[in-house]
Amino acid sequence: MSDVTLNAATANPEAAPRTAPVVSTGPVAWLRANLFSSWINTAVSLVLAYLLIRWTIGFIDWAFINAIWTVPVQGNIPQTQACRELEGAGACWAVIGEKHRFILFGTYPYEEHWRPLLVCALFIALYVVSAMRRFWSWVLIPIWIGTLTVIGVLMWGGILGLSYVPQERWGGLPITLILSTFGLAFAFPLAVLVALGRRSKLPAIKMLCVLYVELVRGVPLISLLFMASVMFPLFLPEGMNIDKLLRAQVAITLFAGAYLAEVVRAGLQTLPRGQYEAADALGLSYWYKTGFIILPQALRLVIPPLVNTFIGFFKDTSLVLIIGIFDLLTAGKTAIVEPAWQGFGIEVYVFVGAIYLVFCFAMSKYSQDLERDLNQHRSR
Amino acid sequence: MSSSTADPRLAKAGPPRRPIRLSWSDERLRGIVWQVLVVGVVAAILYWLWSNTVHNLEVRRIATGFGFLGREAGLPIGESLISYEPTDTYRRALTVGVLNTLKVAIVGVVLATILGTLVGIARLSKNWLLSKVAGLYVEIIRDLPLLLQLLFWYTILQSLPGPRQALNPVDGVFLSNRGLLLPFIEWMPAHWWALLALVAGFVGTLLFAKAMRARQYADGQPRKVWPAGITLMVGLPLLVWTTLGAPFTPDIPALRGFNFQGGITMTPEYFALLLGLVTYTAGFIAEIVRAGIQAVSLGQWEAAQALGMRRGDILKRIVLPQALRVIIPPMTSQYLNLTKNSSLAVAIGYQDIVSIANTTLNQTGQAIEGIAIIMLVYLTISLSISFFMNWYNSRIALVER
């Protein structure tokens, strides 16, 4: 670039007429700068464009053009012959049309499906309210307690004219939302306590917290879930029994607690020492100092990584499939056990995946926006 | 903040130690009371659980202890790195499980690092299409549960045609519902020696490079390392291989009857697990690599360019050493995650340690021992990885005053 200007300055005015300068604005220039700046870039762009177009066409063929949306049902047995004759050339969305209620709500009584549906809506409303910054205060605690109570009443029933539904019949999306929401609601206070304990000056408390965090983080979640499903009954006195969902819930809570504790501890460490010393200088007691000075600032610092950890746990609740709890993924996997629908796993997994994707994508977009907002004072 | 700048007269004194007063306003007394209280509560809970367990085990007549390890396992294992028969002991079966876990974890870590680094660099590419495609990949792969991805890949692999209609993209490579078959060579002792020579050559090159660097520090003249490196790492193994008679018999998989023979086989379970783990972890590693490279300020690039360094040299000598400091700690936790996530193998039927220990505890009823073994194995692997990565991290860490 610099050569051009140098030459222009020293060029003889009577030299051959120069060509017009290269366009540096507009779509053509954008293409040149971003896709075809060198021969290697051109090659990469062309190969990628070719592959993308081919795959997109293939996907549209599979998902829409060749797809079968409904199949005839003869005497309660769906006739999936047409789907099988496609031999993978097209999707068989009929399996979703037939089974979506089962995948979403499991074996919950069919005519009561409005209850889990309402529960899911309540959960989503709860997330949206918690995400709004104007509600970030003590108001959130009664909102959470109230909503979770209503959710419990709706799922169990037995009062207010709702019929009683035992926990064994719950399933699908509500289970995934219950496991992740209750898990985080209990894991978060635990994590704050453990993080404070790990930074404590009292050696015995510090040891306990370090032991808990490192032990839990060193083993996979599956081993904790196995522990909850196989070993936990041995821990309890005879005759006392806790149902399987609650045991898995305890395992997930303990697991999430250890990871969240590390995130919170990072926040406590990043907070400048001066804040601790200033609080000490004011003569505040430990709990006043922690509750009014340290935690509000430290937690604010780690909100983006906290949300990322939440996304991780939302996905990790799907592991309860391995101990046979009926969450969204288990319901999807069970839906294709029926002989008529065997072999249509891809369609079901795409459907279940889309649900997970919507939730996780919303959270991750929110986390990115939040990170930008909270760091506004730092960017120039 | 550092103690050396403080007044030396104050360095040793510290606050005078008073005897502990029996009052709630004494900080030390409060500390002791709190610790006794917390430890007491935790110990009481643990004792309660322990006594319940002992009682329950007595009632159910379950004998504790690891005596069952010597008994005959009787469980079939599909793939194994060491010879194994169902008549072998549980100890051997569990060893096979540990080896299978290590097999998928080690290969997975290497492949995920390569793929993740490529995708991370692609996200920063000036090519708009490339960076968008890489961004889309990262976003989608990170927003889907790993278990779902594993089941998805496994379903796809199972719906592939049978051996007779196997996909044959390149000569000698077959992809069917029996797994992926790759051509290989018939392994002879000469190959072991050649492999050994390669390792020796690698070590030799490292020593040579170190010596050359020492001499460059002495007289300032840069010296070429690569000619010696190629001689040592390519020439030496070739020499060993030819002196031992240069044996080379290609072992190409071929369809005989209803199945393939020859070559090396990657079972659908292993292939699906590896594919899922690598693509999933690569999404996270890509983000780490991108953040690491972006953490190096633009001024470093510009300063290096001003010194007249070439782009490759800038990346290698200026940017990467600084980026690695940001990259290594989160990368360690991704490696640990991959290893722990390999336990999801149990969902698609790959027989890793969790799967075999689970079968063992179902067969013998030794729940506590089975889970203890799983946890012990993972704790050992996790601690070894973090020990190694901490060592590497301390080696490349910035030495500050």
Short mmCIF file of all heavy atoms in Angstrom, two decimals, chain A residues 13 43 110 122 169-170 183 195 220-221 246 263 310 317-318 336 358:
data_model
loop_
_atom_site.label_atom_id
_atom_site.label_comp_id
_atom_site.label_asym_id
_atom_site.label_seq_id
_atom_site.Cartn_x
_atom_site.Cartn_y
_atom_site.Cartn_z
N PRO A 13 4.51 13.31 -14.33
CA PRO A 13 3.13 13.58 -14.76
C PRO A 13 2.88 13.19 -16.21
O PRO A 13 1.74 12.98 -16.62
CB PRO A 13 2.98 15.09 -14.54
CG PRO A 13 4.34 15.62 -14.29
CD PRO A 13 5.19 14.50 -13.83
N ALA A 43 -8.97 -20.28 -2.34
CA ALA A 43 -9.18 -21.72 -2.37
C ALA A 43 -10.02 -22.17 -1.18
O ALA A 43 -11.00 -22.92 -1.34
CB ALA A 43 -7.83 -22.44 -2.37
N TYR A 110 -52.17 -38.87 30.32
CA TYR A 110 -52.33 -38.14 29.06
C TYR A 110 -53.22 -36.92 29.20
O TYR A 110 -52.89 -35.83 28.73
CB TYR A 110 -52.89 -39.09 28.00
CG TYR A 110 -52.79 -38.55 26.60
CD1 TYR A 110 -51.60 -38.66 25.89
CD2 TYR A 110 -53.89 -37.95 25.99
CE1 TYR A 110 -51.49 -38.16 24.60
CE2 TYR A 110 -53.79 -37.46 24.70
CZ TYR A 110 -52.60 -37.57 24.02
OH TYR A 110 -52.49 -37.07 22.75
N LEU A 122 -43.76 -22.15 33.55
CA LEU A 122 -43.40 -21.47 34.80
C LEU A 122 -41.88 -21.42 34.97
O LEU A 122 -41.31 -20.40 35.35
CB LEU A 122 -44.02 -22.19 35.99
CG LEU A 122 -45.44 -21.82 36.33
CD1 LEU A 122 -45.96 -22.70 37.46
CD2 LEU A 122 -45.51 -20.36 36.75
N ARG A 169 -44.32 -41.50 37.69
CA ARG A 169 -44.93 -41.28 36.38
C ARG A 169 -44.49 -39.98 35.73
O ARG A 169 -44.87 -39.69 34.61
CB ARG A 169 -46.45 -41.34 36.50
CG ARG A 169 -46.92 -42.68 37.01
CD ARG A 169 -48.33 -42.96 36.66
NE ARG A 169 -48.59 -42.90 35.23
CZ ARG A 169 -49.79 -43.04 34.71
NH1 ARG A 169 -50.83 -43.24 35.51
NH2 ARG A 169 -49.98 -42.97 33.41
N TRP A 170 -43.71 -39.18 36.45
CA TRP A 170 -43.21 -37.95 35.84
C TRP A 170 -42.17 -38.31 34.80
O TRP A 170 -41.54 -39.35 34.86
CB TRP A 170 -42.54 -37.04 36.86
CG TRP A 170 -43.37 -36.66 38.02
CD1 TRP A 170 -44.65 -37.08 38.29
CD2 TRP A 170 -42.98 -35.80 39.09
NE1 TRP A 170 -45.07 -36.52 39.45
CE2 TRP A 170 -44.08 -35.74 39.97
CE3 TRP A 170 -41.84 -35.07 39.38
CZ2 TRP A 170 -44.04 -34.98 41.12
CZ3 TRP A 170 -41.80 -34.31 40.52
CH2 TRP A 170 -42.90 -34.26 41.39
N GLY A 183 -31.31 -28.46 41.47
CA GLY A 183 -29.89 -28.74 41.72
C GLY A 183 -29.13 -27.45 41.91
O GLY A 183 -28.38 -27.31 42.88
N ALA A 195 -16.87 -22.13 49.19
CA ALA A 195 -15.84 -21.22 48.70
C ALA A 195 -15.31 -20.35 49.83
O ALA A 195 -14.10 -20.12 49.96
CB ALA A 195 -16.40 -20.35 47.57
N PRO A 220 -15.84 -38.71 37.82
CA PRO A 220 -16.91 -38.33 36.89
C PRO A 220 -18.27 -38.31 37.58
O PRO A 220 -18.47 -38.99 38.60
CB PRO A 220 -16.86 -39.43 35.83
CG PRO A 220 -16.04 -40.51 36.37
CD PRO A 220 -15.27 -40.02 37.52
N LEU A 221 -19.20 -37.54 37.02
CA LEU A 221 -20.56 -37.44 37.57
C LEU A 221 -21.23 -38.81 37.62
O LEU A 221 -21.97 -39.12 38.55
CB LEU A 221 -21.38 -36.46 36.73
CG LEU A 221 -22.85 -36.30 37.09
CD1 LEU A 221 -23.03 -35.93 38.54
CD2 LEU A 221 -23.51 -35.25 36.23
N LEU A 246 -34.92 -38.14 43.91
CA LEU A 246 -34.35 -37.30 44.95
C LEU A 246 -32.88 -37.67 45.17
O LEU A 246 -32.03 -36.80 45.38
CB LEU A 246 -35.15 -37.48 46.24
CG LEU A 246 -34.85 -36.45 47.32
CD1 LEU A 246 -35.10 -35.05 46.82
CD2 LEU A 246 -35.69 -36.71 48.55
N VAL A 263 -15.77 -21.58 41.02
CA VAL A 263 -16.05 -20.33 40.30
C VAL A 263 -16.17 -19.18 41.30
O VAL A 263 -15.60 -18.09 41.11
CB VAL A 263 -17.33 -20.46 39.46
CG1 VAL A 263 -17.64 -19.16 38.77
CG2 VAL A 263 -17.18 -21.57 38.44
N PHE A 310 -23.73 -23.03 34.67
CA PHE A 310 -25.14 -23.43 34.64
C PHE A 310 -25.44 -24.20 33.34
O PHE A 310 -26.11 -25.22 33.36
CB PHE A 310 -26.07 -22.21 34.71
CG PHE A 310 -26.06 -21.50 36.03
CD1 PHE A 310 -26.72 -20.31 36.20
CD2 PHE A 310 -25.40 -22.05 37.12
CE1 PHE A 310 -26.72 -19.65 37.42
CE2 PHE A 310 -25.39 -21.41 38.34
CZ PHE A 310 -26.05 -20.20 38.49
N THR A 317 -27.39 -32.88 33.28
CA THR A 317 -28.50 -33.62 33.87
C THR A 317 -28.92 -34.78 32.98
O THR A 317 -29.54 -35.73 33.46
CB THR A 317 -29.72 -32.72 34.10
OG1 THR A 317 -30.04 -32.09 32.87
CG2 THR A 317 -29.47 -31.69 35.16
N SER A 318 -28.55 -34.72 31.69
CA SER A 318 -28.93 -35.81 30.80
C SER A 318 -28.25 -37.12 31.19
O SER A 318 -28.68 -38.19 30.78
CB SER A 318 -28.57 -35.47 29.35
OG SER A 318 -27.19 -35.29 29.23
N ILE A 336 -38.15 -44.75 20.88
CA ILE A 336 -37.84 -45.53 19.68
C ILE A 336 -37.61 -47.00 20.00
O ILE A 336 -37.13 -47.76 19.17
CB ILE A 336 -36.62 -44.95 18.94
CG1 ILE A 336 -35.53 -44.60 19.94
CG2 ILE A 336 -37.01 -43.76 18.10
CD1 ILE A 336 -34.25 -44.16 19.30
N VAL A 358 -32.03 -24.84 22.12
CA VAL A 358 -32.75 -23.59 22.37
C VAL A 358 -32.42 -23.08 23.77
O VAL A 358 -32.05 -21.91 23.97
CB VAL A 358 -34.27 -23.81 22.22
CG1 VAL A 358 -35.03 -22.63 22.78
CG2 VAL A 358 -34.62 -24.02 20.76
#
